Amino acid sequence: MGSKRIRYRRAAAAVAAGALPCLAFPAPALWWFAYVALVPWMLLLRSAPSGRRAALEGWLGGAGFIVAVHHWLLPSLHVFLLPLAALVGLLWIPWALLVREFLGGVPDPGRAAAALLLVPAGWLLSELARSWQGLGGPWGLLGASQWQVPPALRLASVGGVWLVSLLVVAVNCGLVLLIAVPGARVPAVAGVTGCVVLTGAVWLWVPRPEVSGALRVAVVQPGLVADGPDSAERRFAAGERLTRALAGQRVDLVVWGESSVGADLAGRPDLAGRLAALSAEVGAPLLVNVDARRPAGPVAPAAAAPDAAAAAFTAPVAAAASTADGGIYKSSVLVGPRGPTGDRYDKMRLVPFGEYIPARSLLGWATSVGKAAGEDRRRGAEPVLMNLPGRPGVRIGPLVCFESAFPDMSRRLTRDGAALLIAQSATSSFQRSWAPAQHASLAALRAAEDGRPMVHATLTGISAVYGPSGERVGGALPTSARTARVYEVPLARGSTYYVRFGDWPVGACLALLAVYCAAEGARSLGLRKPAPAPEPTTPPARTARG
C-alpha cells in the first residue's frame, strides 16, 4: 500500500513539475525562471527506480507542460485538450530516459559532461517533433520564453529559437548536477560557464543588423466586436473609422488584423471601393485580411460591379479568385487607391481544430464539445512577397496568425527578399487569457532570427512592433485599446547567421543523438557476443600403436 501511494505521489509531482516552465512564458513572463524551471522535474526523473518509471514520469510531465502552456485553449477544445496533451506528452519520453541514464545514480565526470550535451539535445528532439503543424506547431518552445532578453535574442540570430532552448536546458542540467551530484561539480560549473561565455561571445562579436531607413507603419486595432449576424460589417466599419483618422500623418502602410474583412472582395465590390477610397484618403496602401468563402469558377468582374470604377477595383482580386474552389480562405490582400493591387497571400498553415479538423472522419465529433471548425478552410500554395507602392525596392512578407510561430516561414520570406515581416492575427476568442501576450512575443523572436522588423497586428490586441534585433518599437496596444497607432519602423540590410545557415542546432543535436544511439547499439551487440568455447583442461587421449 505504501509503495502504491509513493507511485501516485510521484505521478502527481511529475505533472506539477512539468507544468512549472509555463511561468516563464507570457503573461507571467518570468523569463529568468526558465533557467531553473526544469530542475524539479529532472531531479524526479533521475531518482526514478526504473526506466519504465522514468518514461511514465516524462510522459506525465510533458502532458502537464502542454496543458499549462496551452490552458487558454480550454474554452475552445474543452476536454479534448486533455487527450491532445496526453498524445503530445509522449514526445518527452526519450528525454526522460536520457535524464535518468546520464544524471541518475552517481555519474562520473565523463557521464556528467555527456549529460550537458545529450540531455539538451533530447529536449530539442521533443520540441522538433511537436513543431509539426498537426501537433499544434512550435508554440511554447522553451527558448521563446526569452523573447525580451537581448542576449538571448542575439543567440536567436545565430541559431534561431532552437539554440536558445538548448542553452536554457543546459543551464538547468548544470544546476541539477550541482545540487544532486557533488562529484560532478567541475563539469557542471564548466558547462554553465560555457553557456555564459558563448552568450557573451555572441553578444560581443556577432554583428548587429545594419539599419537603413525606416517605414511609417500604422496598426489599426478596432477592438472587440460583439458576435452577431452583422459583426463582420461592424468590424469593417470600426477599422474604416480608425483608419480615416490617419489622414495627414504621412504613413507608408496601414495594417489591419486577421479576418478584418468578412467578405471576398470579388463578390463585394462595394467593400473594395470603400477600401480604395480609404487608401486614397490616407495616402498609403492598406494590407487587410479577408476571411471569407471565395467564389468558385470564373468570375466576371465587370458584371458583378455596379459601375466601371468598382469593376476596376475588383478586377485583380476577381482574376485571382477565378480558379478558386469555392472554399473558405484567409488571405492577406494589399489594397491601393485604385483598388486591390492583385497581391494576395493565402494562409498556408492552418490551426488544427480551429481552422480544420485532422482526420475529420474520425475526429469530427470535436465540433460537438468545443468551438472546432465546422468546415475545413483551404490552404494557400506558396509564400508571397508584396511590393510596397511608393517605396521602390521595399517588399513585405505577410504571415497570418498561427504562422508567426514557425521560424522557417519567416526565414523563407527573408531569404526571398522581405524587408518587413507582418503577422495579421486575431485572438478575440482568448481575450482574457495568456494567449494574446504569448502570440505577440513570438514576433520578437522572428525579428531577431531574421534581422528584419516585424509588425504583429491584431483585431483586439495585443498588437506590437519589433525592430530588426527583436527590440520593442514603440508601445504595444493592449487588449483594451481601440485605436490606430503609427510606428517608425527601422529597416535593416544584411543577413543573420540563422537566415544563412538555418536550423543547424537541430541538425547538430540529431547527429549527436545518432552517434550516441550507434555507440549504445554497438556496445549492446558487444555484450551479447557469444563467449568463445573454453580450452580443454585435460590432454587428449593417446592411441597406442602396435
Side-chain angles (χ1 to χ4, degrees):
M1 194 67 168
S3 61
K4 183 177 292 187
R5 187 179 295 114
I6 290 174
R7 288 199 298 270
Y8 287 151
R9 287 177 178 174
R10 286 184 64 97
V15 174
L20 279 178
C22 76
L23 298 176
F25 294 89
L30 305 177
W31 63 266
W32 53 268
F33 187 64
Y35 294 93
V36 299
L38 298 179
V39 170
W41 191 8
M42 295 170 73
L43 289 173
L44 185 70
L45 293 172
R46 72 176 295 273
S47 66
S50 66
R52 179 177 296 181
R53 188 70 202 182
L56 174 64
E57 292 168 359
W59 171 47
L60 293 173
F65 176 83
I66 292 297
V67 171
V69 175
H70 299 81
H71 70 273
W72 43 268
L73 284 171
L74 278 168
S76 294
L77 295 183
H78 293 286
V79 296
F80 198 77
L81 178 61
L82 298 180
L84 183 64
L87 172 64
V88 179
L90 294 170
L91 299 175
W92 272 272
I93 289 178
W95 176 74
L97 294 175
L98 286 170
V99 170
R100 182 178 183 274
E101 172 68 21
F102 286 94
L103 299 178
V106 185
D108 56 49
R111 193 149 61 100
L116 292 167
L117 295 175
L118 288 167
V119 170
W123 179 276
L124 203 66
L125 181 65
S126 69
E127 291 201 333
L128 176 65
R130 72 186 180 89
S131 294
W132 177 51
Q133 177 196 338
L135 290 178
W139 194 291
L141 302 184
L142 195 58
S145 66
Q146 306 302 294
W147 64 277
Q148 56 186 329
V149 183
L153 292 172
R154 190 68 53 78
L155 284 171
S157 74
V158 174
V161 67
W162 315 108
L163 182 58
V164 184
S165 286
L166 279 175
L167 263 70
V168 171
V169 180
V171 171
N172 277 272
C173 189
L175 291 178
V176 170
L177 288 170
L178 287 173
I179 294 170
V181 189
R185 285 175 180 168
V186 172
V189 171
V192 174
T193 303
C195 292
V196 174
V197 170
L198 174 61
T199 303
V202 168
W203 176 260
L204 290 174
W205 289 306
V206 169
R208 294 166 172 78
E210 182 182 351
V211 175
S212 58
L215 287 177
R216 287 177 60 80
V217 179
V219 174
V220 176
Q221 183 175 299
L224 198 62
V225 174
D227 290 336
D230 63 341
S231 58
E233 296 288 344
R234 287 185 284 115
R235 185 180 301 113
F236 185 96
E240 191 177 30
R241 182 177 63 255
L242 292 170
T243 302
R244 191 167 287 118
L246 297 169
Q249 297 193 40
R250 299 181 295 104
V251 296
D252 296 300
L253 176 66
V254 179
V255 183
W256 288 17
E258 180 188 13
S259 305
S260 49
V261 180
D264 190 82
L265 296 180
R268 288 288 302 275
D270 58 318
L271 295 184
R274 287 164 65 181
L275 289 171
L278 200 57
S279 174
E281 185 176 349
V282 173
L286 279 61
L287 184 69
V288 300
N289 188 271
V290 177
D291 183 1
R293 188 175 302 279
R294 192 172 300 173
V299 178
D307 54 46
F313 294 150
T314 57
V317 173
S322 63
T323 58
D325 58 4
I328 301 175
Y329 290 80
K330 283 191 176 181
S331 307
S332 301
V333 179
L334 192 64
V335 181
R338 295 177 56 82
T341 63
D343 287 326
R344 175 197 289 267
Y345 166 66
D346 297 329
K347 185 177 184 181
M348 297 169 60
R349 295 182 182 173
L350 305 178
V351 180
F353 297 98
E355 293 171 335
Y356 78 104
I357 295 183
R360 181 177 285 273
S361 60
L362 295 176
L363 302 177
W365 57 268
T367 58
S368 63
V369 297
K371 299 178 182 178
E375 176 183 346
D376 292 350
R377 280 175 167 78
R378 301 293 194 268
R379 303 175 189 273
E382 59 185 2
V384 173
L385 289 176
M386 302 177 180
N387 295 311
L388 185 60
R391 294 298 299 263
V394 175
R395 298 201 288 175
I396 59 177
L399 299 167
V400 182
C401 195
F402 174 66
E403 294 178 325
S404 68
F406 292 86
D408 65 299
M409 295 195 74
S410 55
R411 177 175 177 257
R412 165 75 182 273
L413 289 170
T414 303
R415 286 173 64 89
D416 289 347
L420 173 66
L421 301 169
I422 298 176
Q424 295 174 294
S425 176
T427 52
S428 55
S429 299
F430 314 104
Q431 193 72 353
R432 293 178 178 85
S433 72
W434 294 2
Q438 285 184 14
H439 200 179
S441 70
L442 296 175
L445 269 296
R446 303 293 87 83
E449 287 169 344
D450 302 310
R452 295 293 182 269
M454 187 162 189
V455 173
H456 180 79
T458 73
L459 291 178
T460 60
I462 296 172
S463 297
V465 178
Y466 300 92
S469 293
E471 75 279 13
R472 177 72 63 79
V473 175
L477 300 181
T479 54
S480 59
R482 298 177 178 232
T483 187
R485 181 174 294 178
V486 179
Y487 294 86
E488 194 81 16
V489 182
L491 299 179
R493 61 165 63 102
S495 180
T496 65
Y497 287 111
Y498 177 71
V499 170
R500 291 182 212 167
F501 303 113
D503 301 328
W504 63 265
V506 173
C509 287
L510 292 176
L512 185 63
L513 291 170
V515 170
Y516 165 69
C517 290
E520 283 296 296
R523 187 172 70 87
S524 177
L525 289 175
L527 291 176
R528 294 177 185 175
K529 186 182 296 183
E535 294 291 333
T537 57
T538 57
R542 295 175 179 267
T543 303
R545 299 178 181 273

